[in-house]
Each structure stands twice: as structure tokens, then as C-alpha cells.
Amino acid sequence: MHGRIRKNLMKTAGKIKLVLVLCIISCMQAYAQERKIKTGWSINPCPVIAYETDLGFQYGAMCDIYYYGDGRDFPDYEHKIFVEAAYSTKHSGLFHIFYDSEHLIKGLRLTAAATYIPERMHNFYGFNGFASPYFRNLDKNRKDKIAYYNLDYQMLRVFADLQGGFAGNFRWAAGVAFYRYFIGDVRQKPYAGSSSMYRDYIDAGLIGVKEARGGAHVEFKGGVVYDTRDHEAAPGKGIWAEAILYGSPDIFSTGFNYLKAAFHFRHYVPLWKDRIVFAYHLAYQGTIAGNAPFYSQQNISSLFLSRPSSEGLGSSNTLRGINYNRLLGDGYAWANAELRVRVISFDFIKQHWYIALNPFFDAGAVVQPYRLEQQKQADNALLYSGNSESLHMCAGIGGKIALNYNFIFSGEIGFALDRRDGNYVIALGLNYIF
């Protein structure tokens, strides 16, 4: 089996190399026009056409609104508002409004959002990566009415972050966020009433009875940002790094309080102007003190959301090609690397467009275990594999269509390099992931 997987991956890699070479040649032959300036308002309503293997096909509507003023800072904007309402064929919803501006409050950047995500078939693969076994026949097996790795999940998130400069390209950052989670057994037919890892975790004491229903908490954050990017949506060069401390006191008497740290380092290296760029992202997130509930451990903290959902590790937001929410732990480390090749630029319906490709490689692991000793003592082969955690890897290729350099349609396919992480993930959505 492993030989066949390696053979298929070699074939896929060969195809990616051929496509990449052809794209580079096309890119270098493309006309070298200067960026045209956009002024005033740019309002871009459109139907939602999104897809992710685990979440299904999303349908709905969204609108991306930019105000560029007199265009002196284009392609940077003065104000951005993004609104989306969508539901998927696999019963996953997304209702999201986002605002970002450096001009609303003088000298400060305000980023705020409100998001509601209901998922009737939310993935739950257990704690600590490979320490949790994965059996493909238990993963949404409609024939046998089995959805062992799923639970019913709703999340409401409201946050506001402020950033202000204090030295050159350094900025301070501070923010507050409110989260409310509702958790329960799967109610979706035909899987309702079937056994689940979630229920087995409760029975084994890995998840407390009160904790199992979800809860509310408020997070406070503060940190430092270093930013030398020439453009935010798709940088051609520069560094974007952030170091954040964030924590939650037990305001709602849930029995949980914690302090965590998150570090992100993103580097954009121009190989040929801004048309061929090597981009990579190194990240760590982990607990310093306290104890966090299981339902909040999948939340990935960052000062700027490239996409409405911020959950991982796994899925189109972090490890592309690995099952959605495959990894859950007390601390994570991961990396993303990709080559961004702009194939062609053109004008259409009085708007500026370009098409790009991005072959990628992602890797990550749980580096701080979560309730591992309890997991070992569960005496259940479905809950503990006996394996130690190691690197989870995936590779693939994506395509982008950008409107006015900021509104970016994205399509990607990634392949897991270990069958215990799934098979592949296809994702259609918006923006680069970093």
C-alpha cells in the first residue's frame, strides 16, 4: 500500500513540476504593466461557491466592500467590510461579518468580526494526533449509519483587536474576544443515535460531563507585530511576524482558565519581481499555564483572520490535505511553504485581475499533549492507538483568481502523506491562508 501511495505521489509531483514550469515560462512572457490605481468604492457581491471535502459544498451569498479613497495607498485600502452567509450540503453553516481599517480611529488599526458557525457533523478525531487511532470505515459510513468521528457543534465568536505603531515596523496589539460553544451528540439522520468517539470520551472520563455540553469564555490578548509586507492580501516581499499572549479567566464559572502563547513568522521572498514569490509560514501555539476545555483547543489564534474559520490543525486553514480538525492538543507547531506564480494579469469589466498558481507543502504536529495519561488509561482500542505523535504532512497545488489585488478566489487540492490523516482535501474559498 505504501509503495502505491509513493508511486501516486511521484506521479502527482511530476505533473505539478510540469505545470509549474509552463506557468513560469508563461509568467515571464506576460506583459510587464504597472499596477493600475483603483479609487473610491469597490463593492463585490457574489454567490458563495465554496467547497471542502469534510464540510461539503457551500451555497449562499457574500459581499466584499473596499474603500480606496483617492488611491494613494492602492492596493491597500482605507476600509474593508466583508459579509458572508452560507450553508453546506454536509450541514455546516457560516455567518460572518468582518471589518478592518487603519483610518476609523486615528493612529490605530481596528479589526473586528462576529461569526456564527453551526456544524451538525463536526469532526472530532480525539486528542494528541497519532495517539488517537483512525479507522476509515468508522468515518461517516452512511451505509452502516456510523459517524464515529463526529459531534454536533455550534460556535459564536465576537472579537475586536487594536494595533498601534511604536517603533518603525513594530506595532503593539491588544484585543478581546467572546466565545460561546454548544456541543452535543450527532442529531443528523441517518447517524443520530450511533456510537461516537465523543460519547466514548465522556464515558472514559476524558471529557467532563459539564464540559461536554460546551460553555462560554472571554479571551484577552496582547502582543507585538512586525510587518514589512508591500501588500497584505498577496505580498510580493517582506515579513509578517507576531507574538501574542492570550488567556481566559474563569468569568462564567466553567472551571477552566488558561494562559497561552502564539507565534507566527511569515516570510515572502521575491524570486522574480512580484510574479514569482516563495512564501513560508512557521507557527507555534501552546499553553503556558492553566487548563483549557477541549472544545476551545482547536481554535487557532491570530491577529488577522485570512478566512472566517480559524480552526485546526487540519483542513484548508492550516494543514491542507489532512482531515478537518485531525489534530487536537495543548500545543501545536506547524509550517506551510508554497511557491506563488502569477500566470497572467488583465483588465475585465473595468476591474483589475490576475491568475496565479501555488504548489504547497504543509507539516505539523501536537507538541504539547492534552490529557494523554488519561487517554492511555482508557483501556479502549478506539481511543488510544499506542503510537507516539510524529509529523503530519501533506502536499498539493492551488489556483487563485484575484480581483483588484485584494479579493482572491482560491481553489486547492492537498494530499495527506499518511493514510491515518485521511486521503485528500479539496477546498474552494477565498484568500491565501497566510
Side-chain angles (χ1 to χ4, degrees), residues 163 166-172 224-229 238-243 264-266 303:
Q163 297 181 41
F166 67 87
N169 294 309
F170 286 94
R171 300 195 302 267
W172 59 264
V224 179
V225 180
Y226 177 76
D227 191 354
T228 64
R229 292 172 294 171
I239 291 173
W240 172 24
E242 57 188 71
H264 297 270
F265 181 84
R266 310 165 184 91
L303 291 170

Side-chain angles (χ1 to χ4, degrees), residues 13-319:
K15 292 177 182 178
I16 291 174
K17 289 178 182 177
L18 177 59
V19 170
L20 184 58
V21 169
L22 292 175
C23 289
I24 291 174
I25 293 172
S26 174
C27 175
M28 295 183 71
Q29 290 177 342
Y31 60 91
Q33 68 176 30
E34 295 296 323
R35 274 183 181 164
K36 296 181 179 179
I37 300 300
K38 188 76 177 176
T39 61
W41 291 93
S42 176
I43 302 175
N44 310 296
C46 67
V48 168
I49 304 174
Y51 178 83
E52 185 166 331
T53 305
D54 285 318
L55 302 180
F57 178 81
Q58 280 191 332
Y59 51 91
M62 62 183 174
C63 188
D64 216 3
I65 303 171
Y66 295 92
Y67 180 66
Y68 294 106
D70 59 10
R72 71 179 66 181
D73 296 322
F74 183 82
D76 291 333
Y77 49 82
E78 293 188 11
H79 301 274
K80 173 182 177 175
I81 301 172
F82 177 76
V83 181
E84 180 177 358
Y87 204 71
S88 82
T89 53
K90 293 188 179 180
H91 309 286
S92 172
L94 175 61
F95 304 91
H96 177 70
I97 182 168
F98 174 87
Y99 175 77
D100 180 55
S101 176
E102 293 183 343
H103 297 266
L104 184 68
I105 305 174
K106 186 176 181 180
L108 297 176
R109 178 174 187 171
L110 170 65
T111 304
T115 309
Y116 173 59
I117 300 177
E119 292 184 4
R120 298 177 71 176
M121 296 293 290
H122 183 78
N123 285 3
F124 176 67
Y125 291 104
F127 302 160
N128 304 310
F130 287 136
S132 292
Y134 175 67
F135 300 96
R136 185 172 299 276
N137 63 315
L138 299 180
D139 198 351
K140 289 184 282 292
N141 184 336
R142 190 174 185 86
K143 179 182 177 181
D144 298 325
K145 301 179 181 180
I146 295 173
Y148 187 72
Y149 301 113
N150 294 92
L151 50 78
D152 190 274
Y153 169 94
Q154 299 175 64
M155 187 270 283
L156 172 67
R157 178 190 65 212
V158 182
F159 77 83
D161 294 334
L162 288 174
Q163 297 181 41
F166 67 87
N169 294 309
F170 286 94
R171 300 195 302 267
W172 59 264
V176 61
F178 170 78
Y179 292 86
R180 180 65 171 99
Y181 296 88
F182 301 89
I183 313 291
D185 293 301
V186 168
R187 295 177 293 168
Q188 178 63 32
K189 295 181 180 180
Y191 307 111
S194 68
S195 63
S196 67
M197 176 172 275
Y198 164 71
R199 180 52 54 184
D200 285 349
Y201 264 53
I202 297 172
D203 293 342
L206 280 161
I207 295 175
V209 174
K210 183 179 178 182
E211 176 192 11
R213 298 192 298 268
H217 66 271
V218 175
E219 275 188 1
F220 300 93
K221 69 174 64 172
V224 179
V225 180
Y226 177 76
D227 191 354
T228 64
R229 292 172 294 171
D230 59 342
H231 176 42
E232 291 195 1
K237 61 181 178 179
I239 291 173
W240 172 24
E242 57 188 71
I244 309 165
L245 286 176
Y246 64 102
S248 175
D250 190 11
I251 295 175
F252 298 100
S253 300
T254 61
F256 296 98
N257 55 72
Y258 56 85
L259 177 66
K260 290 176 174 278
F263 302 94
H264 297 270
F265 181 84
R266 310 165 184 91
H267 191 193
Y268 309 90
V269 183
L271 302 182
W272 189 65
K273 299 183 179 179
D274 62 351
R275 293 187 177 274
I276 303 177
V277 176
F278 174 67
Y280 65 93
H281 170 215
L282 307 176
Y284 162 79
Q285 175 176 304
T287 301
I288 298 174
N291 183 26
F294 87 99
Y295 49 79
S296 70
Q297 292 284 36
Q298 61 198 15
N299 185 57
I300 301 299
S301 183
S302 179
L303 291 170
F304 189 92
L305 295 179
S306 297
R307 298 180 176 185
S309 175
S310 61
E311 296 178 348
L313 291 179
S315 83
S316 60
N317 294 316
T318 49
L319 304 182

Side-chain angles (χ1 to χ4, degrees), residues 128 260-261 284-287 297 313 327-334 365-370 389:
N128 304 310
K260 290 176 174 278
Y284 162 79
Q285 175 176 304
T287 301
Q297 292 284 36
L313 291 179
L327 281 70
L328 191 152
D330 220 16
Y332 310 102
W334 74 100
V366 173
V367 294
Q368 287 177 264
Y370 184 64
E389 175 65 324

